[in-house]
Amino acid sequence: MARIYRDAYGIPHVRAADVRDLAHGQGFAIAQDRAWQLEWLRRRVTGTTAEVLGDAGVPWDRFSVSVRIIDTAQRAYEALTEASRRFVAAYADGVSAAFAAGAGRGSHEFEALGISPQAWPAWMPLATFHAQQILFANIGSLLWQRRVDDVLGAESALLEREGPHSAGSNAWVVGGARTASGSPLIGGDPHRNFESPGVYHQVRLACEDPDDLFDVVGFSFAGTPGVQHFAHAGEVAWAITNAMARYQDLDDLGSAAGAEGTPPDRPTVLPGVGLRGPSTELGDLGFEALLPLLRSRTVDDVDAALEHWVEPVNNVVIADVRGTVRYRWAGRVPVRDERGRWTGWRTDRHRLDVGSEGQIVTANDRRGPQSAELGEEFAPPHRGERIAALLANRTGLTSADFEQIHNDTLLGGLEALRPFLPERLRDWDGRMDADSATAADFVAWRSAFVRRIAAEPVFDALREPPPDRLFAPYFDVTFAIGHALATLAAAGTPFGIDLARHAVLADLESEPRPTWGSTHVYSPAHPFDLADHLQAPPVPEVPLSGDQDCVRCVGSMPGIDDGAYRGAVARYVWDLADRQAGGWVVPMGASGDPASPHYADQLTLWAQGTLAPIVTDWDRLIEITHSR
């Protein structure tokens, strides 16, 4: 039996006498908070979203079956050690127990659909994790780039823009000689598309077994046991960003190269297009790392646990109370021969330890020559360079200083656009603040500029329908131009386009906005948005500072929509001197039920750039329920 406590924000703190009861309690708690989200994830895994969404669910359901999500999850579950299998199974049992006890009953989505959540088999946590991550390496971007290469040839690189649009994160760490406490500090935020409810669930997991003591606070993917990417275990803390590795390939199954060695049940993305990825190839989803991560006490412990990680491939920063600060990457990256065939896995993790006066910043950008061994496209350097500059030569750093870094709104990449700006904007400081009229003026001009470029005839052949409706967002020409704008501007006359003329005419066509925050509002996606007959629960449209290439990453779609559709889906500061001196926050709240007081009670904090407190004193928490 686990005991479940809650803090003032409803965040669950799970306390148990052994690790199996702890996993059961975590599953019970997440099902109490996110019953609809877990049922939606189950349906994505089983390819049954169309049963509730209608035709809008067909593209995903077809994809889910064709890439063999369930098969991969079941193979990975059976390959786990007995201890890890029991841990995962206990979590799934906890989810099912909460559903049996009425979790989710009467919530908006279940009432609208007239359904109830279904029990989880033991392998379901692996399947939901796989379903949430399989598009993270940007299969859609690979398909889009094939079309761009075919249509634009040698100049296609101008539309590549370093970095796939659904990836991103910031993470940074400084050694103890640079902090007020004398212990390392870690800060960061993962960037993904905004969803309602959010992808991350804050949790504390405390095992009181005398032979297996641990107490960890962190963020867990909804539907996944333990904490995977961002956590503070008391004596050690860690954080990740996407390493931008190329670890998935698309093979033309009709070609000799693609057919060679291809099993008849090879996962496919489209008819004739096979998917090759580490999880599918190995029958491994990295879950063997989960228990060792919880039990970690040192940087070396976390490092060793992450040897089990598979995908997504991540940059990792780790620090402990002994003062060790380390960078490494984690995951499986294939080694390819000259014909593109996989011949093994890269083993050099490029570990780097910095001294007590050092710092590490990772923001999906290139990390020197070693990055070429992992991938081909990386994020622009703007976020990483800006964080490094904000940290440079500073001492006496505190959690409050890291919180300020989270809130930096200077727009990266602006210098490439400055020669094209209207005269009145040439001296603008580039701050994307919600209350800024100048930022709004810039955005109005930028959107008109993007639309004019995107309308050029040279891009007409790119406007053909996508190969599948599932990938339609990746095949929007205006979207592609908007995210490649700085690259195009730096090229002078890309594709022979007179950018200077478009810039002048854009100023005449721009539609004014009073402030940036008047249109740049929080706009999370909900599954009901896909179906005309369903109404998603309302979410407050709070004004937001920041933009795509700010440290405060809250991205819009230039030329299409000012709404904030992606960005920081969590923020945190881990203080190795005192966990309660740090902080954490998610865009909405612990609960996914609109009727709960914790549905969106963190939204104002997150929008203002403030962190919620991390509470670890049990006497400051309220015991709510037992998990049986």
Side-chain angles (χ1 to χ4, degrees):
M1 179 180 71
R3 299 161 67 184
I4 300 172
Y5 297 71
R6 303 275 180 173
D7 66 14
Y9 288 94
I11 296 168
H13 295 239
V14 187
R15 192 177 190 180
D18 62 56
V19 72
R20 288 182 66 190
D21 278 353
L22 187 71
H24 189 277
Q26 185 185 6
F28 196 93
I30 182 67
Q32 286 182 315
D33 292 343
R34 306 283 186 89
W36 156 251
Q37 186 178 28
L38 296 182
E39 172 62 13
W40 174 247
L41 289 172
R42 187 193 68 81
R43 286 183 173 276
R44 282 170 62 82
V45 164
T46 56
T48 57
T49 68
E51 291 180 5
V52 294
L53 293 185
D55 182 64
V58 170
W60 170 266
D61 290 350
R62 182 171 53 233
F63 174 79
S64 177
V65 172
S66 66
V67 297
R68 304 180 61 82
I69 287 176
I70 289 178
D71 172 73
T72 301
Q74 290 177 334
R75 288 190 292 125
Y77 177 77
E78 293 301 325
L80 290 173
T81 61
E82 182 180 356
S84 292
R85 276 200 310 275
R86 293 171 69 177
F87 179 69
V88 173
Y91 178 92
D93 286 346
V95 169
S96 298
F99 289 162
R105 189 176 298 152
S107 66
H108 174 89
E109 290 87 355
F110 291 122
E111 286 289 300
L113 297 172
I115 62 173
S116 299
Q118 301 299 302
W120 276 30
W123 48 264
M124 185 58 71
L126 292 95
T128 61
F129 179 82
H130 191 33
Q132 287 173 300
Q133 309 304 324
I134 194 167
L135 291 177
F136 203 65
N138 284 281
I139 294 169
S141 289
L142 293 174
L143 293 170
W144 163 251
Q145 197 57 48
R146 285 183 170 197
R147 177 174 292 182
V148 172
D149 290 344
D150 288 343
V151 171
L152 300 179
E155 288 189 288
S156 65
L158 292 175
L159 287 192
E160 287 179 0
R161 185 192 186 273
E162 288 268 54
H165 66 264
S166 68
S169 298
N170 301 317
W172 65 94
V173 57
V174 297
R178 303 272 301 282
T179 70
S181 70
S183 295
L185 279 172
I186 295 177
D189 56 334
H191 306 158
R192 297 171 71 103
N193 287 352
F194 295 138
E195 299 175 62
S196 173
V199 66
Y200 284 114
H201 189 240
Q202 295 146 297
V203 70
R204 180 188 185 186
L205 300 174
C207 182
E208 298 179 328
D209 182 343
D211 298 320
D212 194 15
L213 285 170
F214 59 81
D215 186 341
V216 183
V217 297
F219 297 90
S220 181
F221 278 106
T224 305
V227 288
Q228 302 82 44
H229 293 336
F230 320 97
H232 193 326
E235 297 178 64
V236 64
W238 63 94
I240 65 97
T241 66
N242 190 322
M244 312 302 283
R246 182 186 164 203
Y247 56 87
Q248 287 180 342
D249 283 349
L250 299 182
D251 295 336
D252 293 319
L253 298 182
S255 68
E260 185 175 349
T262 299
D265 60 351
R266 175 71 176 274
T268 57
V269 173
L270 301 167
V273 181
L275 172 66
R276 177 170 294 184
S279 293
T280 306
E281 293 286 306
L282 297 171
D284 186 354
L285 284 160
F287 273 43
E288 208 62 67
L290 300 183
L291 278 172
L293 281 173
L294 291 174
R295 292 165 170 155
S296 294
R297 299 288 191 274
T298 68
V299 165
D300 287 339
D301 291 342
V302 174
D303 194 326
L306 290 173
E307 283 300 295
H308 297 289
W309 196 253
V310 178
E311 59 176 289
V313 178
N314 296 319
N315 297 309
V316 189
V317 295
I318 322 167
D320 62 28
V321 295
R322 296 155 190 83
T324 306
V325 176
R326 179 172 300 167
Y327 162 84
R328 62 158 288 171
W329 63 265
R332 298 285 181 267
V333 178
V335 176
R336 301 171 178 85
D337 65 15
E338 65 281 355
R339 296 179 61 186
R341 295 174 299 190
W342 290 16
T343 60
W345 306 98
R346 296 204 177 276
T347 56
D348 184 354
R349 306 300 186 189
H350 301 304
R351 290 175 175 85
L352 171 68
D353 283 14
V354 299
S356 63
E357 297 183 354
Q359 68 183 50
I360 300 170
V361 178
T362 172
N364 324 112
D365 47 348
R366 292 181 184 269
R367 297 190 55 82
Q370 68 267 28
S371 292
E373 298 178 16
L374 300 183
E376 297 158 356
E377 297 180 26
F378 298 84
H382 315 309
R383 287 183 285 113
E385 290 177 351
R386 179 61 177 166
I387 295 169
L390 291 170
L391 290 171
N393 303 316
R394 293 180 65 181
T395 58
L397 289 161
T398 66
S399 293
D401 295 318
F402 273 37
E403 192 172 291
Q404 288 181 350
I405 291 173
H406 274 301
N407 289 311
D408 187 79
T409 61
L410 186 67
L411 181 63
L414 179 63
E415 294 312 307
L417 297 178
R418 203 174 288 278
F420 299 98
L421 291 176
E423 188 64 35
R424 66 184 180 282
L425 293 174
R426 294 283 172 88
D427 296 327
W428 174 51
D429 63 6
R431 295 281 179 179
M432 298 295 289
D433 296 323
D435 60 358
S436 171
T438 309
D441 191 2
F442 163 75
V443 167
W445 169 84
R446 181 179 66 179
S447 291
F449 191 36
V450 166
R451 287 192 293 269
R452 290 196 60 84
I453 298 170
E456 283 281 345
V458 69
F459 302 121
D460 284 350
L462 295 176
R463 304 183 214 280
E464 294 295 319
D468 189 282
R469 281 185 293 159
L470 181 66
F471 304 110
Y474 298 86
F475 282 75
D476 188 301
V477 174
T478 304
F479 183 92
I481 297 298
H483 284 271
L485 188 59
T487 302
L488 293 168
T493 55
F495 310 106
I497 298 171
D498 186 349
L499 293 184
R501 176 175 175 272
H502 282 311
V504 172
L505 294 175
D507 190 31
L508 300 176
E509 298 170 0
S510 59
E511 300 175 0
R513 299 125 164 102
T515 63
W516 175 217
S518 65
T519 54
H520 192 232
V521 297
Y522 182 58
S523 306
H526 187 282
F528 282 14
D529 296 338
L530 299 171
D532 293 336
H533 66 289
L534 296 170
Q535 183 66 47
V539 176
E541 292 188 342
V542 295
L544 298 174
S545 298
D547 201 13
Q548 179 74 19
D549 287 319
C550 301
V551 175
R552 184 181 168 93
C553 182
V554 186
S556 60
M557 292 183 280
I560 301 174
D561 190 342
D562 289 354
Y565 81 100
R566 72 174 303 275
V569 292
R571 296 191 187 104
Y572 54 87
V573 176
W574 304 140
D575 188 331
L576 270 300
D578 177 6
R579 281 197 295 190
Q580 295 189 123
W584 56 355
V585 73
V586 293
M588 292 183 62
S591 175
D593 183 353
S596 168
H598 304 300
Y599 174 64
D601 60 339
Q602 296 184 55
L603 180 55
T604 299
L605 293 178
W606 176 83
Q608 294 175 347
T610 303
L611 300 176
I614 298 171
V615 178
T616 56
D617 293 340
W618 293 105
D619 58 5
R620 294 173 56 196
L621 305 171
I622 299 175
E623 185 172 357
I624 301 296
T625 187
H626 291 181
S627 156
R628 298 183 184 277

